[in-house]
Amino acid sequence: LLSYLSFPCRYFRWWYKKTRIEKKSAFIDLLCAVPLQQIYGCPLGGIGGGTITRGWRGEFCRWQLNPGLYHYETVIADQFTVCLRCKGQTVYQQVLSVERPSTLQGWNWGYCGHYAFYHALYPRAWMVYELPGQNVVLTCRQVSPVIPHDYKDSSLPVGVFIWEVENGRDEDVDVSIMFSLQNGTGMKEDGSRGHWNEPFAFEKEGERVAGVLLHHCTDVNPFTLAISALEKDGTVVTHLTAFNPMGTGREVWQDLLQDGRLDSPDGKSSPTEKGEVTAAAVCASCRVPAQGHRTLELALAWDMPRVHFGSKEKLHLRRYTRFFGSGGDAAPALSHHALTHYEEWERRIEMWQKPILENSQLPSWYKSALFNELYFMTDGGTIWLELPPDCRAEDLQGPAGAGLSHLLPVLREYGRFAYLEGQEYRMYNTYDVHFYASFALVMLWPKLQISLQYDIAVTVVNEDIQPRQYLMCGQTAQVKLKNVVPHDIGDPDDEPWQRVNAYLMHDTADWKDLNLKFVLQVYRDYCLTHDGLYLRDMWPVCQAVMESELKFDTDNDGLIENGGFADQTYDAWVVNGASAYCGGLWLAAVCMMRKMAKVLGDAEIQQKYTDILNKGKEAFERMLWNGGYYNYDSSKSDTSSSIMSDQCAGQWFLGACGLDQEEFEVFPKSHVVSALKTIFEKNVMSFAGGTMGAVNGMRPDGVPDTSSVQSNEVWIGVVYALAATMIQEGLVEEGFRTAEGCYRTVWEQLGMAFQTPEAYREKKVYRSLAYMRPLSIWSMQLALERRAGRAPGPAQPPQVPIHP
């Protein structure tokens, strides 16, 4: 107990050394949480090339260009401005922003928000402006290339803005949309010397795109931003190469006001001096006939092809460099590709989303949640890297040599993928949480899930014997033990993949859930992809981690025991003895080992796990079943009879794989349904009036379990998983009711759109904004598809050649 009480002192000592002496940021900063801003909308960009988030009022306000590292700053110069002209006179010119900033005061700010509307259905968003008194309506449709089963365009760092102009007047109107952008992301580096801009035009196959390149020349991870528009019949594209975004901006405003166009000077701008900031603008103009309609298409691209993580030890190439090169000169080609392919992207996005959106049996909040929670696939600090061309299997496998025959081909073809546990919890591929989120990956980009699993498999068989002190208990142990699953594959502020286990709260070698979650995902992935090569490669690794796990069955009753500390994903909630959560995951993993052995024809292993399962099932029921649900644990403590919302996690995975009946039934069906009904009655309906989802722990008398800081939290990703389990077991209405509470709390009551946290409490306390786990909502969709008889075989990707 004393060692845990001294955790704050140990943490502060470590935090001070990290942040004040080493001048690095903490992987979890308990002292400086990111402040809640209820401003975010749909992020821009594909997977793994960095993201730029726009707010629902149109601002550019959240930046993740350096992999995994976030910067929250609204850059006021980044705006769209409209100019209307009739009969050769400018009749209306307005920045499409409600802001009234202290800079650029020569511009007409303060658009009335009453005349603007925002809608988002990721990866698209719509902003509608009913220009007051003008009888003109602008609709800006924002599109990013996030397309299931696409491993090329989905990697591109681009966003497209399609401006639909409706002229309700009885006369023609000349309409211009100006897109202005600062060279940088609003950080102090914007004022360092050497940044410069230049105009560009790029023509290919008869289609021409023109705009400005903004070269941001930092020492580490330099990048180029590109703003551009599509030239076509009736559309004129003009530009302004450079202006001072810290000044009044009057020269820009007057230039546009004069004739609805920009001056389009030739040549590059001068490199900035220290303290000087530069910006640029591009303008697309067309004539819209009376009562007519026209479209203007603009794009934003960013090109940071070669990246260093925080340690600066290795140079990495992003995935999109496979198709557009790594020379740092791809922004024109990226812009052209985006503006000439966005219609195809939208067609494919609509094909994917339409069956769900048009299903009248699904509630509208669910449709919003399902697609909008996917924002984290790109905006989870996500990185998608190419392997170096000269990479060999032994370079990947580490000293232990994993013996994974398809490791190199898989990673060479599909690259390496990583995303953060959360924007505030800076660890890549945190595995106990990815367990929940992985449904989105395996259903939509299965090859990325396979690639991620190969990376985990490599780390399993390797070790890192470096000793370090763990902050929670104060004990010293090695960073990574052999034949156990790591907690994470590293911190982007260090060197991920090379140094794993950035998490140093607990020594996770003693956690009971990580190894099991690997086994469960391997079979689930095989079940959904039918990838036999993957199964065969993973089989020895599954056997190794299960052998490691067996040591936790201390009394040889076929059931593992928890160690009397918080030794699983609920890392502040102590468990002792047999437990519903880890015991249930264990039995599900044992069942899947038996099934995989059968598929692979390994009769000896099949028999071994059949025997363990028979013993373990009996012990689980005897020690934990109380007639209505499974007790939290078998410790006979004051809270061991708590009702845990996540007690059926093992059954969730079994049901997702169709392994929940006949010879493979692990948990009696009647017990599962009874437990889920109890959770619905107590954890859902007796908590906050049934309006906030399911609380993690509830006492039998209907009072939340307050024995831990996590037992009386609601974890959104756990609730979506619980809802999926309910749907699998036929409790469809209860499942939707349970999940709806979370969606409405986060997206409507708390204003946390596009930053869904890990947790909240009844009294408006929240923790860890923009978190990975809520991607588990895709397991609800899988459960619905299974019920509808569309059991997911391998989804067939479009037949597009993957090589450039």
Side-chain angles (χ1 to χ4, degrees):
L1 184 63
L2 275 175
S3 69
Y4 283 99
L5 289 175
S6 52
F7 163 71
C9 301
R10 275 191 299 274
Y11 178 83
F12 181 75
R13 215 167 41 237
W14 170 83
W15 177 90
Y16 188 86
K17 179 174 180 245
K18 177 66 84 176
T19 61
R20 297 297 184 265
I21 298 171
E22 296 175 15
K23 303 295 186 197
K24 304 278 271 185
S25 54
F27 76 98
I28 295 179
D29 196 329
L30 300 176
L31 302 179
C32 303
V34 173
L36 172 63
Q37 298 183 83
Q38 296 156 316
I39 64 173
Y40 297 115
C42 198
L44 289 158
I47 299 172
T51 42
I52 299 171
T53 297
R54 291 186 77 204
W56 49 267
R57 289 176 298 197
E59 66 269 57
F60 291 74
C61 53
R62 185 168 71 196
W63 306 80
Q64 186 255 145
L65 299 188
N66 283 315
L69 304 178
Y70 274 85
H71 169 60
Y72 305 88
E73 190 74 48
T74 294
V75 182
I76 208 67
D78 298 356
Q79 298 292 347
F80 288 100
T81 298
V82 62
C83 173
L84 304 183
R85 292 172 59 80
C86 293
K87 300 189 178 77
Q89 295 291 317
T90 297
V91 296
Y92 181 84
Q93 188 163 297
Q94 174 72 49
V95 185
L96 295 171
S97 167
V98 297
E99 303 285 350
R100 296 180 184 274
S102 57
T103 52
L104 298 174
Q105 290 197 333
W107 295 14
N108 185 22
W109 295 90
Y111 184 84
C112 177
H114 182 73
Y115 297 100
F117 309 89
Y118 183 82
H119 311 270
L121 191 71
Y122 189 76
R124 298 194 293 172
W126 294 258
M127 303 195 77
V128 181
Y129 302 91
E130 296 175 350
L131 302 182
Q134 302 307 311
N135 213 356
V136 170
V137 177
L138 307 176
T139 302
C140 176
R141 194 166 75 254
Q142 174 185 309
V143 182
S144 293
V146 180
I147 304 157
H149 306 290
D150 176 288
Y151 299 92
K152 181 191 174 187
D153 283 9
S154 287
S155 72
L156 303 184
V158 294
V160 181
F161 308 97
I162 303 101
W163 288 85
E164 308 277 358
V165 186
E166 297 168 69
N167 178 13
R169 295 174 176 234
D170 293 326
E171 58 182 339
D172 295 358
V173 179
D174 291 323
V175 178
S176 298
I177 300 288
M178 179 177 79
F179 183 13
S180 55
L181 195 78
Q182 185 166 310
N183 186 328
T185 63
M187 295 177 74
K188 66 176 188 294
E189 286 86 349
D190 292 9
S192 60
R193 62 167 54 93
H195 310 314
W196 56 283
N197 309 335
E198 63 174 327
F200 80 93
F202 190 97
E203 189 165 350
K204 184 179 172 186
E205 294 167 1
E207 299 197 85
R208 182 178 156 96
V209 164
V212 183
L213 303 175
L214 299 89
H215 301 293
H216 197 75
C217 304
T218 47
D219 292 338
V220 179
N221 299 347
F223 61 91
T224 296
L225 296 161
I227 49 175
S228 62
L230 184 65
E231 290 186 354
K232 56 187 181 183
D233 285 347
T235 299
V236 176
V237 178
T238 54
H239 71 268
L240 183 61
T241 310
F243 70 91
N244 175 14
M246 299 298 138
T248 65
R250 188 160 281 115
E251 74 287 4
V252 185
W253 196 258
Q254 292 302 323
D255 185 1
L256 184 64
L257 195 69
Q258 192 179 340
D259 57 2
R261 298 181 183 186
L262 297 173
D263 271 352
S264 300
D266 293 330
K268 306 170 181 178
S269 70
S270 303
T272 55
E273 296 296 331
K274 188 170 174 57
E276 187 185 0
V277 181
T278 185
V282 67
C283 178
S285 313
C286 69
R287 176 160 292 175
V288 186
Q291 303 297 328
H293 169 272
R294 288 289 183 271
T295 304
L296 296 166
E297 296 128 312
L298 294 97
L300 171 62
W302 52 98
D303 182 26
M304 184 194 279
R306 303 150 69 85
V307 292
H308 285 99
F309 291 111
S311 75
K312 305 183 186 63
E313 288 172 38
K314 290 185 174 181
L315 187 64
H316 303 272
L317 300 184
R318 295 199 196 252
R319 168 69 173 182
Y320 74 86
T321 62
R322 182 188 188 100
F323 314 106
F324 286 88
S326 59
D329 55 357
L334 284 165
S335 304
H336 186 279
H337 188 85
L339 286 165
T340 55
H341 287 77
Y342 79 84
E343 288 172 313
E344 167 69 7
W345 298 343
E346 289 198 280
R347 188 183 64 74
R348 290 164 68 188
I349 289 166
E350 284 166 8
M351 275 175 56
W352 159 46
Q353 294 185 339
K354 201 173 179 182
I356 293 166
L357 298 177
E358 292 186 349
N359 184 341
S360 59
Q361 295 179 309
L362 298 175
S364 53
W365 68 262
Y366 170 76
K367 297 168 185 177
S368 170
L370 184 69
F371 293 114
N372 284 327
E373 291 287 13
L374 266 182
Y375 84 94
F376 198 82
M377 276 298 305
T378 60
D379 206 13
T382 312
I383 186 77
W384 188 1
L385 299 173
E386 283 288 280
L387 285 189
D390 57 350
C391 186
R392 302 164 305 159
E394 46 269 36
D395 300 330
L396 296 171
Q397 292 193 353
L404 301 164
S405 61
H406 287 82
L407 170 70
L408 186 61
V410 166
L411 267 58
R412 180 156 281 158
E413 188 69 5
Y414 296 104
R416 275 186 145 159
F417 172 85
Y419 60 156
L420 296 176
E421 179 178 336
Q423 289 181 13
E424 295 193 79
Y425 285 16
R426 206 185 56 236
M427 295 156 282
Y428 270 143
N429 295 350
T430 297
Y431 202 72
D432 54 301
V433 182
H434 172 69
F435 171 72
Y436 294 82
S438 62
F439 280 89
L441 212 52
V442 76
M443 290 172 71
L444 302 174
W445 292 275
K447 300 297 188 187
L448 294 185
Q449 167 66 6
I450 300 286
S451 165
L452 185 156
Q453 287 282 89
Y454 269 100
D455 272 332
I456 293 292
V458 165
T459 67
V460 165
V461 299
N462 285 287
E463 62 182 345
D464 181 346
I465 60 171
Q466 188 77 23
R468 65 177 179 184
Q469 185 186 45
Y470 288 92
L471 299 176
M472 198 63 80
C473 62
Q475 292 172 348
T476 298
Q478 68 185 63
V479 171
K480 165 72 174 65
L481 210 60
K482 192 177 172 69
N483 290 340
V484 300
V485 170
H487 174 274
D488 59 82
I489 56 114
D491 176 354
D493 205 22
D494 184 31
E495 195 61 55
W497 287 289
Q498 186 170 316
R499 283 188 289 280
V500 304
N501 280 349
Y503 179 82
L504 44 74
M505 297 297 191
H506 293 278
D507 177 7
T508 59
D510 286 330
W511 275 19
K512 308 306 181 284
D513 58 341
L514 289 167
N515 296 328
L516 307 174
K517 287 172 172 177
F518 180 79
V519 173
L520 293 171
Q521 285 184 67
V522 166
Y523 183 72
R524 189 273 321 269
D525 299 344
Y526 169 71
C527 182
L528 297 187
T529 65
H530 304 314
D531 187 339
L533 295 173
Y534 164 72
L535 183 67
R536 203 165 288 282
D537 263 358
M538 295 296 137
W539 180 233
V541 187
C542 288
Q543 291 180 72
V545 299
M546 287 298 277
E547 280 302 316
S548 291
E549 193 77 11
L550 270 168
K551 70 175 179 286
F552 299 128
D553 179 9
T554 53
D555 54 6
N556 198 31
D557 63 352
L559 189 63
I560 60 166
E561 285 83 38
N562 288 87
F565 67 103
D567 52 0
Q568 27 68 50
T569 195
Y570 298 88
D571 58 355
W573 194 359
V574 171
V575 209
N576 207 348
S579 70
Y581 183 68
C582 291
L585 292 174
W586 161 256
L587 292 180
V590 170
C591 175
M592 289 190 182
M593 288 296 287
R594 181 182 163 211
K595 176 66 175 176
M596 288 188 279
K598 186 176 181 180
V599 169
L600 294 167
D602 193 331
E604 188 182 335
I605 296 291
Q606 185 182 348
Q607 188 58 51
K608 173 181 174 175
Y609 283 101
T610 300
D611 294 343
I612 293 172
L613 186 60
N614 290 336
K615 274 199 305 184
K617 283 199 298 189
E618 188 278 325
F620 188 79
E621 295 296 325
R622 171 170 44 81
M623 298 171 77
L624 295 166
W625 180 249
N626 64 18
Y629 60 92
Y630 293 102
N631 285 334
Y632 177 67
D633 67 20
S634 64
S635 67
K636 301 287 190 288
S637 69
D638 292 346
T639 54
S640 66
S641 60
S642 286
I643 306 157
M644 188 189 200
S645 64
D646 212 0
Q647 64 184 271
C648 295
Q651 177 69 12
W652 170 45
F653 256 69
L654 290 169
C657 302
L659 282 184
D660 54 350
Q661 47 213 313
E662 295 166 7
E663 63 167 312
F664 288 102
E665 181 181 274
V666 174
F667 310 98
K669 197 65 127 182
S670 61
H671 288 191
V672 171
V673 172
S674 171
L676 292 171
K677 284 181 172 176
T678 303
I679 293 165
F680 184 70
E681 178 197 337
K682 299 287 190 181
N683 301 53
V684 179
M685 299 309 294
S686 300
F687 176 75
T691 62
M692 293 181 78
V695 68
N696 281 341
M698 182 65 90
R699 299 297 301 136
D701 61 2
V703 175
D705 180 339
T706 56
S707 63
S708 142
V709 293
Q710 292 175 339
S711 55
N712 68 339
E713 289 181 329
V714 175
W715 287 10
I716 295 93
V718 167
V719 173
Y720 288 151
L722 168 63
T725 315
M726 289 174 169
I727 291 166
Q728 284 170 189
E729 302 303 327
L731 303 174
V732 179
E733 199 175 316
E734 291 88 339
F736 277 122
R737 176 74 190 266
T738 298
E740 181 179 2
C742 280
Y743 173 79
R744 296 206 185 279
T745 299
V746 170
W747 291 76
E748 294 176 1
Q749 305 301 319
L750 299 178
M752 293 180 177
F754 299 101
Q755 53 181 331
T756 304
E758 158 74 316
Y760 57 74
R761 291 189 185 172
E762 187 174 2
K763 299 301 180 204
K764 305 294 187 287
V765 175
Y766 67 89
R767 183 168 59 78
S768 188
L769 288 170
Y771 199 76
M772 176 199 286
R773 204 181 317 249
L775 284 170
S776 62
I777 193 169
W778 277 85
S779 68
M780 288 180 68
Q781 185 58 25
L782 180 63
L784 290 164
E785 289 176 10
R786 287 193 76 90
R787 279 187 64 75
R790 298 194 302 277
Q796 289 305 313
Q799 295 305 305
V800 179
I802 196 157
H803 290 288

